[in-house]
Amino acid sequence: MPRVRVHNFTVTVDGFGAGVGQRLEAPFGDGVDGLHDWMFAAMEDKANGKGGIDAGRVGAWEEGIGATIMGRNMFGPVRGPWRDDSWKGWWGDNPPYHHDVFVHTHHPREAFAMEGGTTFHFTDEPVEAVLERALEAAGGQDVIIAGGAATIQQYLRAGLIDELNIVVAPLLAGAGERLFDNVTEAMRNYQVTEMVSSPAATHVRLQRR
Amino acid sequence: MPRVRVHNFTVTVDGFGAGVGQRLEAPFGDGVDGLHDWMFAAMEDKANGKGGIDAGRVGAWEEGIGATIMGRNMFGPVRGPWRDDSWKGWWGDNPPYHHDVFVHTHHPREAFAMEGGTTFHFTDEPVEAVLERALEAAGGQDVIIAGGAATIQQYLRAGLIDELNIVVAPLLAGAGERLFDNVTEAMRNYQVTEMVSSPAATHVRLQRR
């Protein structure tokens, strides 16, 4: 059975996946500088053949994955109606997904394909329907819920996520978007099955009971 | 200079230091069973001369400490006015403090001494005044802010805590009392200086910048 997974979603010690004021110049908002430092260092270590706690986990988001789902704020800084079709995501001409990516938005626009096999689809359907499309597109492989926090919460509340791999960075934000808000009931269905730290990151795995 | 410290304050992965429904039969409320398992195991390891990440840290709350401050809910399950003076704390005849303990409460009662040198004082003074009394009582040693979350938040907002050593247990509560609520501004004054995990607990040290 294909699984629905979250990987590398990084929060501060006080629980925030993004600070306040997310915008073009600060995609994750203010007060969270360095949130993904562990990830860049781990990717470099992995590329150089080095092992370690972070390097061993950082690539899991692209292993056995056939489709990705994300919220609109993760796709870009534009809020409200699209002014035009010029925004193509944060990731340049060749995004790192190489498969179908479904973007939740109240302002649908036409799908478009990028270099390297990534196609962005825009939808205002409910999470169940979007996941069904993603599983179909994934052709038997797993599906990633990439984020942000609000999108992960929606899928948690609907009971659709099998496994969350979150990362705690040694930072404090004070304010912003909390991963574990609005999921009181949903959390009863999960248990922590792994917790391990490097100096740069604590990895916590949550699995459905 | 004596320092103001927090040690062993334990939260779930989703950030709760206590669940809902704190009461006599469930001092930490519901949904947080096992929150302090790491601590009991570490104390046993320490008593048996075993080392390790948890055993090496679990005793810090009693080293170099001359006074303790806590909130009323940490002292006991009684809410509102004291019905009588029968409640003497959760810790039996010989509490593990062995020094002056200051309990914040809107319902002062007379101080009383227990076996082993612990004296409980009750006060509705502001945090600054209580800390001053605690520092005086500590006679040059450090002061612990023991908890709960609301009490720690008050001292954080007042900028009075030098060092917080918190522990994340591999549990999810879904709801309850969050440590890092109502401290948006205060968090800017702290940085994470250590993060290390055993399978049972992640230890995070926050120090004032």
Side-chain angles (χ1 to χ4, degrees):
Chain A
M1 277 286 290
R3 292 167 62 78
V4 180
R5 292 149 46 188
V6 174
H7 283 281
N8 293 1
F9 191 86
T10 306
V11 298
T12 61
V13 166
D14 47 349
F16 297 99
V20 294
Q22 291 176 259
R23 59 195 184 278
L24 182 61
E25 303 76 26
F28 287 88
D30 295 318
V32 293
D33 287 350
L35 189 65
H36 297 96
D37 282 1
W38 75 272
M39 198 164 72
F40 301 123
M43 286 163 69
E44 200 175 313
D45 282 352
K46 187 167 184 255
N48 294 330
K50 286 192 209 165
I53 287 167
D54 301 335
R57 285 164 176 76
V58 72
W61 71 278
E62 51 186 358
E63 289 157 15
I65 301 296
T68 294
I69 295 170
M70 64 177 62
R72 198 257 182 104
N73 294 357
M74 180 158 172
F75 175 71
V78 186
R79 302 291 185 264
W82 304 99
R83 285 182 293 269
D84 54 45
D85 283 348
S86 59
W87 182 263
K88 307 281 188 187
W90 299 102
W91 304 276
D93 293 336
N94 189 347
Y97 300 104
H98 315 298
H99 53 223
D100 288 299
V101 176
F102 297 86
V103 180
H104 280 280
T105 168
H106 296 301
H107 303 278
R109 63 186 251 201
E110 275 201 30
F112 59 86
M114 303 290 284
E115 287 173 32
T118 298
T119 298
F120 288 106
H121 305 267
F122 301 86
T123 172
D124 60 357
E125 292 170 288
V127 291
E128 291 83 358
V130 174
L131 179 56
E132 201 169 308
R133 287 179 64 191
L135 284 165
E136 172 96 23
Q141 296 199 86
D142 289 355
V143 170
I144 286 273
I145 312 295
T151 301
I152 294 175
Q153 289 164 16
Q154 276 188 284
Y155 281 84
L156 280 174
R157 283 196 299 272
L160 297 174
I161 297 180
D162 293 299
E163 179 181 321
L164 288 90
N165 297 274
I166 64 166
V167 179
V168 184
L171 292 171
L172 298 159
E177 216 185 339
R178 268 212 165 101
L179 176 57
F180 292 116
D181 265 344
N182 317 309
V183 288
T184 296
E185 300 300 323
M187 282 301 99
R188 308 216 171 108
N189 304 320
Y190 291 85
Q191 57 187 327
V192 179
T193 56
E194 188 190 54
M195 193 168 65
V196 59
S197 285
S198 78
T202 297
H203 301 260
V204 185
R205 173 173 294 165
L206 280 56
Q207 289 184 288
R208 195 144 48 176
R209 288 180 190 276
Chain B
M1 277 285 289
R3 291 167 63 79
V4 179
R5 293 150 45 189
V6 173
H7 283 281
N8 292 1
F9 191 85
T10 307
V11 298
T12 61
V13 166
D14 47 350
F16 297 100
V20 294
Q22 291 177 259
R23 60 196 184 276
L24 182 60
E25 304 76 25
F28 287 88
D30 294 319
V32 292
D33 287 352
L35 189 65
H36 296 96
D37 282 2
W38 76 271
M39 198 164 73
F40 301 123
M43 286 163 68
E44 199 174 315
D45 282 353
K46 188 168 184 252
N48 294 330
K50 285 191 209 165
I53 287 168
D54 300 336
R57 284 163 177 77
V58 72
W61 71 278
E62 50 185 0
E63 288 157 14
I65 301 296
T68 294
I69 294 169
M70 64 178 62
R72 198 256 183 105
N73 295 357
M74 179 157 174
F75 175 71
V78 186
R79 301 292 184 266
W82 304 98
R83 286 181 292 269
D84 53 46
D85 283 348
S86 60
W87 181 262
K88 307 281 190 190
W90 299 102
W91 305 277
D93 293 335
N94 189 346
Y97 300 104
H98 314 299
H99 53 224
D100 287 299
V101 176
F102 296 85
V103 180
H104 281 279
T105 168
H106 296 301
H107 303 279
R109 62 186 252 200
E110 276 202 28
F112 59 86
M114 303 289 284
E115 286 174 33
T118 298
T119 297
F120 289 106
H121 305 267
F122 301 86
T123 173
D124 59 357
E125 292 171 287
V127 290
E128 291 82 358
V130 174
L131 180 57
E132 200 169 309
R133 286 178 64 190
L135 284 165
E136 171 97 24
Q141 295 198 86
D142 290 355
V143 170
I144 286 272
I145 313 295
T151 301
I152 294 174
Q153 289 164 15
Q154 277 188 284
Y155 281 86
L156 280 173
R157 284 196 298 273
L160 296 174
I161 296 179
D162 294 297
E163 179 181 321
L164 289 90
N165 297 274
I166 64 166
V167 179
V168 183
L171 293 171
L172 299 159
E177 215 184 340
R178 269 211 163 104
L179 176 57
F180 292 115
D181 265 343
N182 317 308
V183 288
T184 296
E185 300 299 323
M187 282 301 100
R188 307 215 171 108
N189 303 321
Y190 289 86
Q191 57 187 330
V192 179
T193 57
E194 189 190 54
M195 193 167 65
V196 57
S197 284
S198 77
T202 298
H203 300 261
V204 185
R205 173 173 295 164
L206 281 55
Q207 289 183 289
R208 194 143 49 176
R209 286 180 192 277

